[in-house]
Amino acid sequence: MPAATASGADATPNGNANSRDHNQGNQDKKYTVEQKAAVIRVRRCGATEFYEILGLEKSCSDTEVKKAYRKLSLLTHPDKNGYEGADEAFKMVSRAFQVLSDAEKKQKYDRFGGDPDNRFGPGSAPSASPFSGFARSPGGGRGPMFEDEISPEELFNRFFGGGGAGGGPFGGFDAGPQFVFNLGGGPGFRVHQFGGGRPRRRPREANGDSGQAPQSTMSVLSNLLPLLILFVLPLLSSIFSSSTPSGPSLRFDSPEPPFTMRRTMPRLRVDYYLNPAEVEDYSNRNFRDLDRRAENNYVTNLQYDCQLEMRTRNRMMDDAQGWFFQDVEKMREARSYEMRSCRSMSDTVSDADKIRNKRLAKLNTQAPSRVPHIDEGSSNDASNTHAVPPSTSPSREQQEQTRPHINISNAATTSKTTENPFARLGVKEVNGSAPHINIKPTAGTDMLPRKRPNVDQRSQGLRSGETIEEWEDKVLRGIFRVTLDPSARSDGHGHHVSFVKGVRTDLGDLGQPIRLSLAILDQAILEAASNVSKITPLDYLLACWKRVTRQFKHEKSNKLEATRLDILKEARRLSMSYCIFAFTLPEMFGRDLPSTSPLLPHLLVDSEDDRGICHDFMAEAVSRFPEADTIEPAFVSAIEDLSRQLATKTMNDDYKAYVLALRHLIRYSPLVKAITQSSLFLPSSASASDFEATTLLGPFFAISPLQANVTTQYFSSPKTRDRGFINNSQRALRMSLTTHQQDLLDIVNHIIKSDKDSRDRMLDWFAACINKNHKRRAMQVDKKLVSSDGFMINITVCLDQLCEPFMDAQFTKVDRIDVEYLRRHPRIDIKEETKLNVDQNASDQFYEKSVGGTNNFISEVFFLTLAAHHYGTEATSQTLGSLEKDLKRMEKHIEEIELDRHKYINNPAQLIMFDNAIRKYKDRIDIGLSYKFAVQGVLLDEQMQARSLQFMRYVIVWLLRLASGINFPKQTMELPLKLDSTGFFEVLPEYFLEDVVGAYRFVMRNMPWTISSTQCDELIVLCITFLRSSEKIKNPYLKSGLVTILYAGSWPAPNRPKGVLGDLLMGLPIATEHLLHALMKFYIEVENTGAHTQFYDKFNIRFEVFQIIKCIWDNRIYRENLDRESKANVDFFIRFVNLLLNDVTFVLDESLTAFQQMHNLSQELQDPQHLEQAVRQEKEEALTAAKGKAKSYMQLTNETVAMLKLFTEALADAFTMPEIVQRLADMLDYNLDVLVGPKSSELIVENPQDYDFQPKTLLSEIIDVYLNLRKKENFILAVARDGRSYKPANFQKATTIFQTKAKELKSSQELQIWTALGEKFRSAKEADVQAEDALGEIPDEFLDPLVFTLMTDPVILPTSRTTMDRSTIRSHLLSDPNDPFNRSPLKIEDVVPNSELKAQIEAFIAEKRGKKMAAANVMDTSPD
């Protein structure tokens, strides 16, 4: 046979295959300008300038590399480009693609430069390939440094689907290397090539011509026929087919968005569902046609499903029939197989149809059944559904005795060559003749049959007269579906069989019986697997494996004799071996290595399918990991490809198969360990934004209904949807997500429980995910730089579930949470986090002192979960709040833009542009609304939130134990806490407490019914503890969150009029003893928060404080404790009362002034004609501002005055102290004058209820404050001394109002007391005037320099040396801690009594009073 020639070489005996210079094959070809330019540009590049050769940037993707290669290889290929140098340009392009399309080579090239395969260049690195030193080209002339090279022609043909080096329009055959195989001892056989291309026919003549005859025209057309069918028919179909849509989509099983509109088929009475948007314009006639179409589709679907069910039952019955005897149990299962679709179809047909079907059935039973022909690779065998322990392989001694040994020798004697990479697998390279199977005895051996034990055949179930060899032949043919009969096409069951011609030929040459046996099973399997065309070798071999496994289990359960079991065991072993070869060495079967793992499609198929990977297969493959180092990497590569493919999918796609595949694989510990050690499991280069796409587990956690295209599917046209539709969609969304999260937990659990290294890698993965997403809590979050909300929520939920085993109701394992974890090289990064009560320097010094020891798993998961909540669910909740604000702002902006429509109404072009801009803006709002509804649907999952709150209870108990140093809750919390604590609490990150606040606040606001009273005791203790001992926390807004929890917990809820926490607040001992004091203390602290918005923030916080106090005020115990403490802690209560008085004064003044402005501006605008345009517009804007101000302040005014009424009733003494009483009297008199005085008419506005303004109710509460303090003489005197606002007529006017216009607000008894109090004020005023007149002219040094009243207790300020009255400076210091004259810091304890001046004042008063009394006596004794 002539030697093979290289492409373009002379095929004559004188030809030279070592050089192509004499004939490139393109001298006569033409070229275009573009082809010439491409060659010139490429050849100008350096040999290793791979990016420049392909014209790409360094940041290019794999897709861009492939696209550039396709374009340039077509331009420079020497068969298409006749320009000089095209051959070299094509080689440069091919080499560039080889490097840049291989991730490992590309990484080396990017790092070192140069050719990564040149070990003498800068990019050289030790080869990790197990096949190093073996040339893939059949020439065999290359050394180790070319281990991965293939020719540019081969690369081009592989990339564009061409053949090998055989030429022709579709390529040739036998392009690959030739191999021989050695798979064991025993009788020796020499087996020639099965690798490379499709096995060629065995030559019958030694000197026959190896050339190919020229193809005829019909042959060429027949070769082109597939292309014509592929391209021409679809084109003709698209030309002549109608473009009219077939109508709306239908759904028959259940409603699912957007298929929510239900209709009923009139004849069948079966419901089906539509998308309402698709039938909006349908008439009654359209709906009737649609009903008919639905009935036809429904019946058609039922018929199809019924056929599938019948086939399934027939397959089950065939499997039960077996090869030799019937399995009674399986036959019973097959006959009882439920065929729902057939039954449903029977229900839909008429009685006449049923009778006709029965008659047809009877006719069918009389005719002999025929088994349909099934193409190769298909199987009707039932899959094994029960778990089987991993099979054990025979020992090496047994294998040497039972398995055949195949001696490998070259066709001709050759010199010793370099060992090829398949040596360990028994594969050697062959040079020479065409491939064939040649079976002959090895020297020193014979081909006598193996000696078999003398067994009673009948006792072992053998058929009468059947030998063990015949049984072996029959069983192996049935399992592997091969035949030695060239005329056979199917077996007795109708299954397609493959004729193994080479095996039959070699058996005939050796004079052996034409029968299958274990001795030749290797060759039969290899030849059959190599010859499959419509399926892959692995498809065929997996089906064989499942058949032999089922047969082995069946025979083993029937206690088959050892010899036959050994035959099945060996067949099973060989099946597994060749399955492994199929996905590790596809070249063995003449197949190219695919771009993705050959195992991948089989992992995505159901394990019960013949193509699926079942438990038995996995157990056997994993057990072989130590024996062959190629199996484990093959599975790891398959899982990596599984992850990469899933990264391109969303919850809208078929993602479930990928998740189930991973769940199946991680049940095998050796594979789990291999997965976690994969470079893709946790690549160090992964950033937060691509973490969910580039890590191995990332795509699995990324599946979520919050993916962009998923949210729009669940909530399409969100503005048009009613609440019911949204709720149903959210419910469906939660169900899908919950199922997926359970799968994720199962995956993580198996990894963690596999071994310590895998567990550590899993925890490292969680930690990296969290640490890379710190920017999710930034003020302005750039979504492109962080992981998605859905991904982080899945992380949080999974970690929550990992915590469940140690979270019991008695908190028995809280002590296992080791706070020293944070100083023992923690996985979570808290360095830059704000701490509870220390600055950054103190925090750094504390955590620099690392401690020894080992972190336990509970501590690891606990702190990871805390961080996950902060950057996961809490960050998403924050995003939801911001999104709602943005949507409102955008809606308002659209309304403002629509006001300008009139400007473009006369310009059609601009109007179109205007409408397009509006439409785009509305589309953005729709996307935002869809995302909002989806986020709400995820976060409002009751099960998820219940699990979250359970974790937060543990956090609360742990924080309280750490802060107090006691064994809470077994020991009672004692407040206030001691400041000399352990010191660890203050250096904890703020988010440890912030997460608790955020979780409970969200649930109480959105789903309070999910919280049970038993979950709230620890929460109340937490809030009261850190409000009462507020020095433990630095951030006032974090403490205000505790107030917010109590406030939200007091909102009325279904069946809970006092809210979730109200009942507990009324009866919990720690609440009745410390809650009011804690609230009043924080009321004082919040006066100064340090933020630029503190003035407005304090009113919002104090409003929540008022609501909590109103909730508990009915409890007498609170009031008694408050009264007792007010007498014991006077200074504290003076500060509280002063701030309360400040607030009442401010909000009353702001709100009443706003109503006066509204009244006056409305009057002016009633006749706008006399106003200029600018003036009128200015007044309208002022009116709008006044309305907003009134509305915002009035609610706070009502609550603040109500609090003043409550506290003056309970703490009259505190409100009538010298420092307070005069300010209180002045404020009451002023507002009474505003409400009933001469200017009260200015408070009349339109629709006062819109502003929550009820002037009569407000007047009633102010009068109640007067009445609460009526028994205090200093209060009566203070009212009388109010020289600015006290007017006796106002008291009479108020009485008249309640007697005529507001009788329901005040009883007659209360009015009598009010009238009497007015008389007291009048009498006190007269007496005070007389006393002041008696003093006459008061010296200036006796007057207070601030209020200009006579001092009674003068004191000297230490820095300014100014003398003031003690009550005046005390009142000043309540609001300002500085000296009013030089702004120096000042405390009341620092003032110095001025005893000398006090004596002078007292002498002055005595003297004046003495003179007045003397004058009065003189008047009494004078004559009439």
Side-chain angles (χ1 to χ4, degrees):
M1 178 178 179
T5 60
S7 175
D10 190 355
T12 66
N14 298 326
N16 180 10
N18 295 327
S19 173
R20 297 180 59 160
D21 294 340
H22 64 287
N23 183 11
Q24 287 187 354
N26 62 351
Q27 284 80 355
D28 297 331
K29 295 182 181 290
K30 298 181 180 180
Y31 55 87
T32 65
V33 176
E34 185 181 8
Q35 289 175 326
K36 176 181 177 181
V39 172
I40 295 174
R41 186 192 68 78
V42 170
R43 296 197 64 185
R44 284 178 179 174
C45 299
T48 59
E49 294 177 352
F50 298 135
Y51 288 110
E52 289 77 5
I53 290 173
L54 296 182
L56 297 171
E57 298 292 336
K58 195 171 183 179
S59 59
C60 61
S61 63
D62 290 343
T63 303
E64 293 171 332
V65 171
K66 293 179 181 179
K67 186 181 297 184
Y69 175 68
R70 284 182 184 274
K71 179 179 179 181
L72 281 175
S73 57
L74 289 174
L75 286 174
T76 60
H77 196 281
D79 290 345
K80 301 178 180 293
N81 188 341
Y83 186 71
E84 182 179 0
D87 190 23
E88 295 302 321
F90 177 69
K91 290 181 180 179
M92 294 173 68
V93 171
S94 300
R95 184 57 186 159
F97 174 72
Q98 283 181 271
V99 173
L100 298 185
S101 63
D102 186 300
E104 184 177 356
K105 292 181 182 179
K106 183 176 182 292
Q107 184 179 7
K108 291 180 182 178
Y109 176 70
D110 291 342
R111 185 176 180 183
F112 302 106
D115 193 327
D117 288 333
N118 182 2
R119 61 179 174 179
F120 302 107
S124 63
S127 175
S129 172
F131 305 148
S132 58
F134 178 73
R136 295 178 62 179
S137 174
R142 300 176 183 174
M145 63 184 291
F146 296 100
E147 60 174 2
D148 290 325
E149 278 203 18
I150 57 177
S151 68
E153 289 81 9
E154 184 182 5
L155 181 68
F156 180 85
N157 290 331
R158 288 189 182 184
F159 195 87
F160 293 98
F170 300 106
F173 302 98
D174 306 312
Q178 303 176 17
F179 303 112
V180 291
F181 307 90
N182 182 7
L183 301 177
F189 303 100
R190 183 161 58 85
V191 184
H192 286 268
Q193 175 209 354
F194 281 98
R198 181 176 59 80
R200 292 172 288 186
R201 299 178 59 86
R202 178 187 177 102
R204 291 298 179 185
E205 298 179 6
N207 298 324
D209 187 8
S210 63
Q212 294 183 352
Q215 291 183 326
S216 65
T217 304
M218 291 302 298
S219 176
V220 172
L221 289 177
S222 66
N223 288 337
L224 290 175
L225 184 60
L227 290 179
L228 294 174
I229 295 175
L230 182 64
F231 294 107
V232 177
L233 287 183
L235 180 61
L236 295 176
S237 175
S238 64
I239 293 174
F240 294 106
S241 63
S242 173
S243 61
T244 305
S246 60
S249 302
L250 308 178
R251 185 179 180 89
F252 296 106
D253 47 4
S254 61
E256 181 176 333
F259 301 99
T260 56
M261 179 179 177
R262 187 181 72 176
R263 286 189 62 80
T264 303
M265 304 175 197
R267 289 198 306 130
L268 303 181
R269 310 309 299 170
V270 176
D271 292 339
Y272 67 99
Y273 303 92
L274 305 165
N275 183 353
E278 295 181 348
V279 293
E280 289 179 350
D281 56 346
Y282 265 43
S283 63
N284 292 335
R285 180 176 180 180
N286 294 137
F287 277 116
R288 287 194 298 271
D289 294 340
L290 187 60
D291 291 338
R292 286 193 293 271
R293 175 189 158 207
E295 289 177 344
N296 293 334
N297 290 355
Y298 179 71
V299 172
T300 301
N301 292 342
L302 279 182
Q303 290 174 343
Y304 176 76
D305 293 339
C306 178
Q307 291 175 1
L308 293 179
E309 291 171 349
M310 293 176 67
R311 291 176 185 173
T312 301
R313 188 177 67 172
N314 291 339
R315 186 188 66 183
M316 294 172 65
M317 296 178 71
D318 288 344
D319 292 340
Q321 191 65 37
W323 282 301
F324 312 111
F325 57 89
Q326 185 182 97
D327 188 320
V328 178
E329 184 63 28
K330 288 187 176 180
M331 184 60 73
R332 185 182 302 111
E333 292 180 4
R335 288 172 177 168
S336 61
Y337 176 72
E338 183 179 6
M339 297 192 293
R340 298 179 181 177
S341 298
C342 294
R343 187 174 63 250
S344 299
M345 187 174 68
S346 177
D347 294 339
T348 61
V349 300
S350 64
D351 294 339
D353 291 334
K354 292 180 181 179
I355 295 173
R356 183 168 62 254
N357 291 337
K358 288 181 179 180
R359 290 177 178 173
L360 290 174
K362 290 181 179 180
L363 292 175
N364 289 337
T365 57
Q366 297 170 3
S369 61
R370 295 185 178 181
V371 181
H373 173 74
I374 299 177
D375 196 7
E376 59 185 357
S378 63
S379 173
N380 287 339
D381 294 326
S383 299
N384 183 29
T385 60
H386 55 277
V388 179
S391 63
T392 57
S393 300
S395 64
R396 293 187 179 274
E397 291 78 13
Q398 292 172 335
Q399 292 177 15
E400 291 297 326
Q401 295 173 7
T402 59
R403 59 186 286 199
H405 287 251
I406 304 175
N407 292 336
I408 308 301
S409 61
N410 293 336
T413 304
T414 59
S415 60
K416 183 177 180 180
T417 59
T418 304
E419 181 183 357
N420 67 53
F422 301 95
R424 289 177 294 173
L425 299 172
V427 180
K428 293 184 179 180
E429 189 177 6
V430 172
N431 296 320
S433 61
H436 67 282
I437 302 175
N438 183 22
I439 304 176
K440 68 178 183 178
T442 306
T445 64
D446 54 26
M447 285 297 292
L448 294 176
R450 291 173 293 170
K451 184 177 181 179
R452 303 183 184 275
N454 186 13
V455 183
D456 184 358
Q457 298 176 354
R458 288 171 296 179
S459 64
Q460 298 299 330
L462 292 175
R463 294 181 180 178
S464 177
E466 183 181 46
T467 65
I468 193 70
E469 288 80 7
E470 292 172 344
W471 181 89
E472 180 180 27
D473 173 57
K474 176 180 63 178
V475 169
L476 294 180
R477 281 190 287 107
I479 290 172
F480 295 97
R481 292 185 180 166
V482 296
T483 181
L484 298 174
D485 181 3
S487 63
R489 293 293 179 267
S490 61
D491 60 14
H493 296 281
H495 302 137
H496 174 82
V497 293
S498 175
F499 173 53
V500 282
K501 181 178 180 180
V503 174
R504 177 183 174 89
T505 301
D506 288 341
L507 286 173
D509 292 345
L510 295 173
Q512 296 294 319
I514 307 302
R515 172 189 301 145
L516 278 181
S517 66
L518 291 179
I520 59 171
L521 185 58
D522 292 275
Q523 295 95 314
I525 295 175
L526 188 58
E527 185 174 352
S530 300
N531 288 338
V532 295
S533 58
K534 296 183 180 179
I535 59 175
T536 66
L538 186 55
D539 289 333
Y540 166 75
L541 293 167
L542 269 175
C544 295
W545 156 264
K546 292 196 172 185
R547 286 192 290 271
V548 70
T549 299
R550 287 195 293 270
Q551 182 73 2
F552 177 75
K553 290 180 180 180
H554 176 77
E555 302 294 2
K556 188 175 182 181
S557 64
N558 290 335
K559 299 181 180 180
L560 194 67
E561 61 154 307
T563 303
R564 288 197 285 168
L565 281 178
D566 287 343
I567 293 173
L568 292 174
K569 187 184 297 184
E570 178 65 9
R572 187 171 183 264
R573 185 190 68 80
L574 287 174
S575 296
M576 172 56 70
S577 298
Y578 278 97
C579 283
I580 293 172
F581 287 144
F583 61 78
T584 58
L585 293 172
E587 297 94 336
M588 177 183 289
F589 305 95
R591 305 299 174 101
D592 292 332
L593 189 66
S595 58
T596 58
S597 170
L599 279 171
L600 181 58
H602 301 276
L603 295 176
L604 298 176
V605 178
D606 191 287
S607 61
E608 296 184 3
D609 190 281
D610 275 351
R611 296 180 64 247
I613 304 294
C614 63
H615 165 72
D616 292 324
F617 183 89
M618 282 301 305
E620 179 69 17
V622 171
S623 70
R624 296 195 182 193
F625 277 10
E627 301 175 9
D629 57 3
T630 58
I631 306 176
E632 178 185 297
F635 275 98
V636 174
S637 175
I639 295 173
E640 291 175 347
D641 288 341
L642 194 76
S643 174
R644 293 188 185 99
Q645 282 195 11
L646 184 59
T648 64
K649 299 183 179 297
T650 68
M651 191 169 267
N652 285 342
D653 303 316
D654 182 17
Y655 70 93
K656 194 69 176 177
Y658 294 84
V659 180
L660 293 178
L662 185 60
R663 282 190 63 184
H664 179 207
L665 294 172
I666 50 88
R667 280 164 168 74
Y668 305 93
S669 296
L671 186 56
V672 170
K673 189 171 184 178
I675 293 171
T676 54
Q677 297 303 319
S678 165
S679 60
L680 191 67
F681 187 83
L682 186 57
S684 58
S685 60
S687 62
S689 58
D690 60 6
F691 196 87
E692 57 192 286
T694 59
T695 63
L696 193 143
L697 293 180
F700 295 90
F701 280 85
I703 294 295
S704 168
L706 299 186
Q707 292 167 302
N709 54 344
V710 182
T711 61
T712 53
Q713 169 126 5
Y714 272 102
F715 305 98
S716 58
S717 304
K719 287 185 179 179
T720 64
R721 303 300 185 182
D722 58 16
R723 192 67 247 180
F725 175 90
I726 294 172
N727 289 340
N728 289 335
S729 299
Q730 289 176 337
R731 194 176 299 111
L733 172 152
R734 283 193 291 270
M735 291 176 62
S736 300
L737 181 60
T738 300
T739 303
H740 179 60
Q741 289 171 345
Q742 288 298 325
D743 291 336
L744 294 178
L745 176 65
D746 185 67
I747 292 170
V748 172
N749 256 330
H750 277 86
I751 295 176
I752 287 177
K753 294 177 180 179
S754 177
D755 62 274
K756 184 180 183 302
D757 292 339
S758 300
R759 181 185 68 194
D760 289 341
R761 289 284 288 171
M762 188 72 249
L763 295 178
D764 288 340
W765 187 86
F766 279 128
C769 166
I770 294 168
N771 292 333
K772 292 177 183 291
N773 277 286
H774 282 200
K775 291 183 179 180
R776 279 178 56 83
R777 294 310 299 266
M779 294 296 293
Q780 297 292 333
V781 181
D782 187 350
K783 295 293 184 181
K784 297 179 181 178
L785 301 179
V786 296
S787 298
S788 65
D789 291 329
F791 175 77
M792 294 302 295
I793 287 176
N794 286 339
I795 294 290
T796 307
V797 171
C798 186
L799 286 169
D800 269 341
Q801 291 173 308
L802 288 180
C803 292
E804 281 187 308
F806 65 81
M807 293 192 300
D808 58 328
Q810 289 74 35
F811 307 101
T812 57
K813 296 184 179 180
V814 174
D815 292 336
R816 297 289 305 280
I817 303 171
D818 186 5
V819 69
E820 292 291 355
Y821 165 87
L822 298 173
R823 294 200 293 180
R824 196 181 291 124
H825 307 292
R827 282 186 165 88
I828 61 170
D829 180 13
I830 62 171
K831 180 177 176 59
E832 302 299 328
E833 298 291 346
T834 305
K835 306 305 186 294
L836 282 171
N837 205 13
V838 296
D839 57 19
Q840 188 63 43
N841 291 332
S843 171
D844 292 342
Q845 293 176 6
F846 182 85
Y847 286 108
E848 282 176 359
K849 302 175 183 177
S850 60
V851 297
T854 304
N855 294 324
N856 59 64
F857 180 72
I858 290 180
S859 299
E860 293 271 16
V861 177
F862 177 82
F863 289 107
L864 281 173
T865 307
L866 254 179
H869 272 277
H870 187 61
Y871 299 108
T873 52
E874 296 304 316
T876 305
S877 179
Q878 176 182 330
T879 300
L880 178 61
S882 301
L883 178 61
E884 290 175 339
K885 294 178 182 177
D886 290 342
L887 289 174
K888 290 181 180 177
R889 176 180 53 80
M890 294 171 71
E891 292 280 6
K892 185 176 180 181
H893 187 51
I894 282 187
E895 293 176 0
E896 294 173 353
I897 294 176
E898 284 286 0
L899 297 176
D900 295 333
R901 178 175 293 275
H902 66 278
K903 298 179 181 179
Y904 312 103
I905 201 70
N906 295 323
N907 190 328
Q910 290 188 354
L911 184 60
I912 292 175
M913 295 174 62
F914 180 83
D915 288 335
N916 289 337
I918 291 288
R919 189 179 303 108
K920 290 180 180 179
Y921 211 72
K922 289 182 177 180
D923 289 342
R924 289 178 57 194
I925 292 178
D926 284 349
I927 294 173
L929 275 175
S930 298
Y931 191 76
K932 169 190 168 182
F933 292 147
V935 172
Q936 288 176 339
V938 171
L939 294 181
L940 295 179
D941 185 348
E942 294 185 10
Q943 185 178 4
M944 182 187 80
Q945 292 297 346
R947 193 184 299 116
S948 173
L949 294 187
Q950 183 185 8
F951 173 76
M952 291 306 168
R953 283 186 71 200
Y954 253 69
V955 177
I956 289 172
V957 172
W958 181 75
L959 287 174
L960 290 174
R961 288 190 179 189
L962 198 62
S964 64
I966 67 171
N967 187 15
F968 178 81
K970 292 183 178 179
Q971 294 177 304
T972 304
M973 190 69 63
E974 296 182 1
L975 300 179
L977 296 176
K978 297 178 182 179
L979 295 181
D980 54 343
S981 61
T982 59
F984 223 124
F985 178 82
E986 286 76 6
V987 295
L988 293 178
E990 271 189 1
Y991 74 74
F992 281 23
L993 183 58
E994 186 179 353
D995 286 354
V996 176
V997 173
Y1000 275 97
R1001 180 169 52 197
F1002 180 85
V1003 174
M1004 287 182 176
R1005 286 180 173 177
N1006 297 281
M1007 44 200 311
W1009 59 87
T1010 61
I1011 305 178
S1012 63
S1013 57
T1014 57
Q1015 296 177 321
C1016 300
D1017 288 13
E1018 298 83 14
L1019 178 64
I1020 292 176
V1021 174
L1022 176 83
C1023 295
I1024 295 176
T1025 297
F1026 292 118
L1027 289 175
R1028 183 71 175 82
S1029 304
S1030 58
E1031 300 81 7
K1032 303 283 285 185
I1033 302 173
K1034 179 174 60 176
N1035 187 349
Y1037 292 100
L1038 184 56
K1039 290 180 280 191
S1040 72
L1042 302 175
V1043 175
T1044 301
I1045 289 178
L1046 296 175
Y1047 165 57
S1050 64
W1051 288 352
N1055 301 321
R1056 295 179 180 182
K1058 286 188 174 293
V1060 176
L1061 303 179
D1063 294 335
L1064 289 174
L1065 293 176
M1066 296 293 283
L1068 207 60
I1070 192 173
T1072 56
E1073 184 176 355
H1074 297 287
L1075 178 57
L1076 266 179
H1077 184 99
L1079 293 174
M1080 293 167 65
K1081 181 180 181 181
F1082 189 64
Y1083 187 99
I1084 296 171
E1085 287 184 10
V1086 81
E1087 180 71 17
N1088 297 291
T1089 62
H1092 67 281
T1093 58
Q1094 66 178 11
F1095 181 78
Y1096 300 100
D1097 293 338
K1098 70 179 181 181
F1099 287 113
N1100 294 328
I1101 296 171
R1102 286 170 177 171
F1103 175 82
E1104 295 180 351
V1105 170
F1106 293 154
Q1107 300 306 308
I1108 301 170
I1109 293 175
K1110 285 173 63 176
C1111 176
I1112 63 176
W1113 194 255
D1114 293 340
N1115 191 334
R1116 179 177 52 82
I1117 300 176
Y1118 276 105
R1119 297 197 300 272
E1120 291 175 352
N1121 290 339
L1122 186 64
D1123 181 63
R1124 184 169 56 255
E1125 191 170 359
S1126 67
K1127 297 174 181 178
N1129 196 351
V1130 177
D1131 289 340
F1132 172 80
F1133 273 80
I1134 289 178
R1135 293 172 62 195
F1136 170 74
V1137 169
N1138 177 72
L1139 293 175
L1140 178 60
L1141 191 57
N1142 287 347
D1143 289 348
V1144 173
T1145 303
F1146 176 79
V1147 296
L1148 271 172
D1149 184 61
E1150 289 292 316
S1151 56
L1152 296 180
T1153 301
F1155 286 116
Q1156 290 174 341
Q1157 292 174 349
M1158 290 168 57
H1159 175 82
N1160 295 332
L1161 289 170
S1162 298
Q1163 292 293 326
E1164 294 177 10
L1165 290 172
Q1166 284 183 354
D1167 187 15
Q1169 295 181 355
H1170 67 281
L1171 297 175
E1172 296 181 359
Q1173 176 67 25
V1175 175
R1176 185 174 69 253
Q1177 183 176 354
E1178 181 180 354
K1179 291 185 178 295
E1180 289 175 349
E1181 293 175 354
L1183 178 61
T1184 301
K1187 289 180 178 180
K1189 182 179 178 182
K1191 191 170 186 178
S1192 61
Y1193 275 109
M1194 197 60 225
Q1195 186 179 12
L1196 185 60
T1197 298
N1198 293 333
E1199 297 298 331
T1200 309
V1201 173
M1203 283 299 102
L1204 180 64
K1205 173 185 172 182
L1206 292 179
F1207 277 99
T1208 53
E1209 181 182 12
L1211 304 173
D1213 291 338
F1215 282 89
T1216 54
M1217 292 180 180
E1219 299 88 346
I1220 300 295
V1221 66
Q1222 190 59 57
R1223 291 183 56 225
L1224 175 60
D1226 293 346
M1227 182 272 295
L1228 292 174
D1229 289 342
Y1230 173 79
N1231 287 289
L1232 180 64
D1233 185 53
V1234 172
L1235 290 171
V1236 302
K1239 294 185 178 181
S1240 61
S1241 59
E1242 295 181 0
L1243 298 177
I1244 300 175
V1245 295
E1246 295 181 356
N1247 303 318
Q1249 65 276 4
D1250 293 345
Y1251 312 98
D1252 202 16
F1253 180 41
Q1254 301 174 352
K1256 297 172 186 176
T1257 303
L1258 181 61
L1259 175 62
S1260 175
E1261 293 194 335
I1262 289 178
I1263 288 177
D1264 285 338
V1265 175
Y1266 277 106
L1267 296 178
N1268 290 339
L1269 303 175
R1270 67 184 184 277
K1271 297 180 180 179
K1272 302 298 180 180
E1273 292 297 331
N1274 57 346
F1275 173 70
I1276 295 175
L1277 181 59
V1279 172
R1281 286 182 173 177
D1282 179 11
R1284 184 185 66 166
S1285 302
Y1286 170 68
K1287 299 173 183 177
N1290 289 340
F1291 290 84
Q1292 183 59 41
K1293 183 67 177 296
T1295 303
T1296 303
I1297 291 174
F1298 288 115
Q1299 287 176 341
T1300 58
K1301 299 180 182 180
K1303 295 180 180 180
E1304 71 282 358
L1305 295 178
K1306 284 290 179 283
S1307 65
S1308 58
Q1309 183 179 1
E1310 289 176 319
L1311 290 177
Q1312 290 177 1
I1313 297 174
W1314 171 249
T1315 301
L1317 182 60
E1319 288 298 322
K1320 285 186 178 182
F1321 291 146
R1322 188 179 59 78
S1323 300
K1325 179 66 175 178
E1326 293 176 354
D1328 186 64
V1329 170
Q1330 292 177 2
E1332 187 175 352
D1333 291 342
L1335 292 176
E1337 187 71 21
I1338 302 175
D1340 290 343
E1341 60 270 19
F1342 293 170
L1343 295 175
D1344 185 273
L1346 284 183
V1347 295
F1348 299 102
T1349 57
L1350 181 63
M1351 293 185 287
T1352 57
D1353 186 11
V1355 294
I1356 301 173
L1357 307 185
T1359 56
S1360 65
R1361 307 305 299 174
T1362 304
T1363 298
M1364 295 182 64
D1365 191 76
R1366 184 183 294 274
S1367 62
T1368 305
I1369 189 60
R1370 182 186 288 274
S1371 178
H1372 170 80
L1373 291 177
L1374 291 174
S1375 302
D1376 187 353
N1378 298 311
D1379 187 318
F1381 298 100
N1382 62 6
R1383 308 303 301 165
S1384 298
L1386 178 64
K1387 295 181 179 179
I1388 192 62
E1389 296 85 2
D1390 298 334
V1391 299
V1392 180
N1394 193 338
S1395 303
E1396 181 180 355
L1397 182 59
K1398 182 177 181 180
Q1400 293 177 5
I1401 293 173
E1402 290 175 349
F1404 171 77
I1405 294 174
E1407 178 185 357
K1408 291 294 184 179
R1409 288 179 177 174
K1411 289 181 179 180
K1412 183 177 181 180
M1413 292 177 63
N1417 292 332
V1418 170
M1419 291 178 64
D1420 290 340
T1421 58
S1422 61
D1424 292 334

